[in-house]
Amino acid sequence: MGSSAHELAAATPASRDKYIDLLRVASLGTVVLGHWLMAAVTVGDDGRAEVGNLLAVEPRLQLLTWALQIMPVFFFVGGFSHALSYRSLRRRSEGAPVYSVFLRARLQRLLRPTVVFIGVWGAGALALQLAGEGGGLLDVSLRLVAQPLWFIGIYLAMVAFTPPLLRLHERYGWGAFGGLVAAAASVDVLRFAFGVPYVEFLNFAFVWLAVHQLGFLRADGRLGRPYVLAGAGLAGAALLVAYGPYPLSMVGMPGEKISNMAPPTFALLCHGLWLVGAVELLREPAGRWLRRPRVWRTVVAANGVSMTAFLWHLTAMLGVYGVLLAAGVRLPEPATGGWWAQVPLRIAAAMVVTGVLVAVFRRFERPSAGGKSKVSPEVSQEVSPEVSPDVSPSGAGPAAAVGVALCLFGVLGLSMVGFGGLLEGRTAMLIAVRVTAPVAVAMTLVGWLLVERAGRGRPSLHKYATRV
């Protein structure tokens, strides 16, 4: 049985950076609310349901993405936590290889609920297809619910690259971050000025890893002038959008030729810099707020289920729309007065359904450990002081690297192809390779098993459980 939020909050070490936890849960919560708000379901004259984007219907609202596209903050938080965790494990290993142990510890609470989500939706999609069910909103749902998995894939890459990039950071400091920024800028120059094909996909690494690198700097207390970061990032993004080929929206729009998100652009990197600087400016007042016991208990409780809620929130939203359509409720045209009047009710219903799904699946977000640690996963940013990490088995590091690579390509592929057409071999283009849903699922499962197996040591290692 897991500890209650009250017990976990009371057990929080004095060294805990509570603001990092607030940023983690606030960033995921903002993404969830943004998805619920932007989804615009319509029913055509032929009775077919389609899911559009409010920002495409009302382009003036795209400016809101400069505040609501908050995923850079989550990746920044990841960099901070990964640096602390890897350094803590490295100290206790006395120089022995710990890569596979680090991967398993950091990814356990990410991959277990993800694999369950994929398994449930995959089995459901297969059963529906065998039963001949489909059409309407169901077909759209089978495609859409997998789209947020792109975030899981990017996060997997960040964890996998933490050890080498942390070494670069420890040697070059801001220079390592600057190198990633320069690489991201060079990619856009090659893409837009010289038309080099496929080079844009490199920015899936350079842009997001640059934001992740800011978390390393934060862990070392080297973000001393966040107003400079915020100002430079905001000015850079504004100039690039105003005078460059970049669109206004910081999220992808249907039918647009250039997206700031997929693949990421240098404008999105500037956006990330401005957001990181902005949240750092709020650090002190937020820290005072978090000293209130009730506030901190709420943050701890939310962090304990945040990944489960993120994985299932689109399922909840589409379920609400499905019930409305089945009940014959008329859906107003998006962005009209009637549509806005329904928004609070739809979001409230989606919150309730998400709560039910979280209650069912939250146990998979808890790491499986072969022992009890005095520091719970919900409140630990480092290895517990009682842990004495073991040496990784021979060959565990390469096996773990292969496993995380398979997981990465598996979840990215699934985010593109979705769960529809499992038996027809429906494909999607992942960079320059076509993938099917069954192949993507198989890669994810095999990769997860490799990471789990490679990261297991003697029982003492099972106590090592850190927050995603």
Side-chain angles (χ1 to χ4, degrees), residues 52-255:
N53 192 316
L54 173 66
L55 301 181
V57 178
E58 192 61 56
R60 291 174 297 179
L61 295 178
Q62 292 180 14
L63 188 60
L64 294 176
T65 63
W66 288 48
L68 298 179
Q69 170 46 295
I70 203 77
M71 290 312 293
V73 174
F74 190 91
F75 295 144
F76 161 70
V77 166
F80 174 89
S81 298
H82 298 159
L84 292 184
S85 297
Y86 186 74
R87 284 169 170 170
S88 183
L89 179 59
R90 189 172 59 186
R91 286 194 303 269
R92 286 159 177 81
S93 70
E94 298 180 351
V98 293
Y99 183 65
S100 62
V101 178
F102 170 75
L103 282 184
R104 179 175 183 263
R106 296 307 296 172
L107 296 180
Q108 198 175 58
R109 297 194 65 198
L110 183 74
L111 287 179
R112 290 178 75 237
T114 300
V115 168
V116 170
F117 172 81
I118 291 173
V120 170
W121 262 104
L126 184 60
L128 288 169
Q129 190 169 1
L130 291 174
E133 299 292 333
L137 187 61
L138 182 58
D139 285 348
V140 178
S141 299
L142 291 172
R143 173 173 50 86
L144 285 182
V145 293
Q147 286 188 357
L149 292 177
W150 74 266
F151 150 78
I152 306 292
I154 299 298
Y155 200 81
L156 287 170
M158 291 180 173
V159 177
F161 282 106
T162 288
L165 288 179
L166 187 58
R167 286 193 293 271
L168 285 176
H169 161 74
E170 290 167 348
R171 182 170 182 178
Y172 298 108
W174 278 96
F177 166 75
L180 289 168
V181 172
S186 299
V187 166
D188 273 16
V189 170
L190 293 173
R191 175 187 180 184
F192 295 119
F194 298 100
V196 177
Y198 299 116
V199 69
E200 64 267 25
F201 293 106
L202 291 174
N203 265 350
F204 276 112
F206 294 144
V207 168
W208 292 126
L209 289 177
V211 175
H212 188 249
Q213 205 81 3
L214 286 173
F216 296 168
L217 291 160
R218 168 69 155 76
D220 288 347
R222 300 180 67 177
L223 291 182
R225 297 178 179 177
Y227 57 87
V228 175
L229 196 64
L234 185 59
L239 290 172
L240 288 171
V241 169
Y243 299 105
Y246 306 95
L248 174 64
S249 174
M250 292 298 163
V251 301
M253 290 288 103

Side-chain angles (χ1 to χ4, degrees), residues 234-315:
L234 185 59
L239 290 172
L240 288 171
V241 169
Y243 299 105
Y246 306 95
L248 174 64
S249 174
M250 292 298 163
V251 301
M253 290 288 103
E256 63 183 357
K257 293 182 179 179
I258 297 173
S259 167
N260 280 320
M261 272 291 294
T265 64
F266 192 71
L268 183 66
L269 176 54
C270 290
H271 170 71
L273 302 186
W274 119 255
L275 282 180
V276 169
V279 298
E280 281 294 287
L281 287 170
L282 299 174
R283 181 179 175 183
E284 289 190 12
R288 292 192 294 269
W289 185 56
L290 286 166
R291 285 198 285 269
R292 301 178 183 179
R294 182 176 298 179
V295 173
W296 176 234
R297 285 197 299 269
T298 302
V299 172
V300 169
N303 263 307
V305 299
S306 58
M307 189 54 57
T308 303
F310 174 79
L311 286 166
W312 291 97
H313 77 281
L314 284 185
T315 303

